[in-house]
Amino acid sequence: MPKGETKRRPRTRAALLQATLETFAESGFHAATIEQICERAGYTRGAFYSNFSSKEELFLALFDAHSERIVQRMTALVDSIASEDLTLRALVDVLCEVEPAEREWYLVTTEFTLRAIRDPQAAWVLAQHDARLRAQLARALTEHLARAGRTLTVEADELARLLIAIREGGLAQSYVEPDELPPGRLEQRFLEPLLTALTADSRTA
């Protein structure tokens, strides 16, 4: 592969992924076409197919990138808190943050999840990516809770499942009734007592 093409490839992929996110959020996964994505990104179909084979592969690449960004952002925010100030309340404040752009991603991932519920093959593939996200989240939670002086009394993977369910369920209600339930409000109210119940104080053990 020519050197110029090697250097351009990450930029091409990044542009295609951003165009995909915008197109999926605007038109929906099923209605969006590869032509629309290429036009928005400013690339040809040839450039598309040299990086991705299908819309499903695009979504999964978006899923992995979003998962990694969320976990990295959470870790950076927690790491910025001094150890003596890292309490469950401080950790909950980090977990409750919802960026405005999250609504766009929620529209995209919800439609693909519905597709996976109907299609066993899509469900199997999505489950593999879900599992990787949970593993990242479980490791991060275990480390952050340890810094806060807490030890999990349940499986970290199960807690990750629960926190994802709470976040996705809360966002669904928030996006339908944004004035009644701002994003993150449920987590702000209930995550601290939940984490208290599911952890033990390791500093007094």
Side-chain angles (χ1 to χ4, degrees):
M1 181 180 292
K3 291 183 179 179
E5 186 174 347
T6 301
K7 291 179 180 179
R8 287 194 301 270
R9 189 177 182 87
R11 293 196 298 270
T12 302
R13 285 180 62 88
L16 286 169
L17 286 172
Q18 181 58 37
T20 297
L21 177 61
E22 295 169 1
T23 305
F24 283 178
E26 182 179 290
S27 304
F29 177 84
H30 293 289
T33 66
I34 290 173
E35 288 76 12
Q36 288 175 319
I37 294 168
C38 291
E39 182 178 355
R40 190 183 290 256
Y43 287 100
T44 64
R45 286 174 62 90
F48 175 89
Y49 284 113
S50 69
N51 287 275
F52 302 99
S53 62
S54 64
K55 289 196 299 180
E56 180 178 280
E57 185 180 345
L58 271 171
F59 169 80
L60 295 171
L62 281 172
F63 183 98
D64 290 341
H66 181 267
S67 300
E68 183 175 350
R69 186 177 68 83
I70 290 297
V71 174
Q72 286 180 346
R73 181 172 178 274
M74 178 183 73
T75 297
L77 288 171
V78 174
D79 287 347
S80 70
I81 302 172
S83 295
E84 61 271 20
D85 297 325
L86 185 56
T87 60
L88 277 184
R89 181 69 255 170
L91 182 55
V92 165
D93 287 342
V94 171
L95 293 173
C96 291
E97 289 201 12
V98 179
E99 297 175 307
E102 191 70 12
R103 183 180 184 277
E104 190 176 48
W105 173 245
Y106 189 85
L107 291 171
V108 175
T109 190
T110 299
E111 184 178 0
F112 194 88
T113 299
L114 290 173
R115 177 174 183 266
I117 292 172
R118 296 187 182 99
D119 181 347
Q121 177 59 31
W124 183 86
V125 172
L126 182 58
Q128 311 311 305
H129 290 260
D130 277 336
R132 285 201 287 272
L133 168 59
R134 286 199 310 276
Q136 289 179 305
L137 184 56
R139 282 194 299 271
L141 284 170
T142 301
E143 293 171 3
H144 300 331
L145 285 166
R147 278 194 61 211
R150 309 294 297 184
T151 302
L152 280 172
T153 57
V154 296
E155 291 294 329
D157 182 75
E158 289 186 332
L159 177 60
R161 280 189 185 273
L162 179 59
L163 293 181
I164 290 170
I166 292 171
R167 185 178 184 87
E168 292 182 351
L171 286 177
Q173 296 179 64
S174 294
Y175 293 142
V176 171
E177 300 180 272
D179 295 329
E180 182 71 21
L181 185 70
R185 173 70 61 80
L186 286 178
E187 292 96 319
Q188 282 283 357
R189 173 68 180 83
F190 293 107
L191 278 193
E192 186 175 2
L194 176 65
L195 289 176
T196 299
L198 299 179
T199 60
D201 189 342
S202 59
R203 291 172 178 169
T204 60

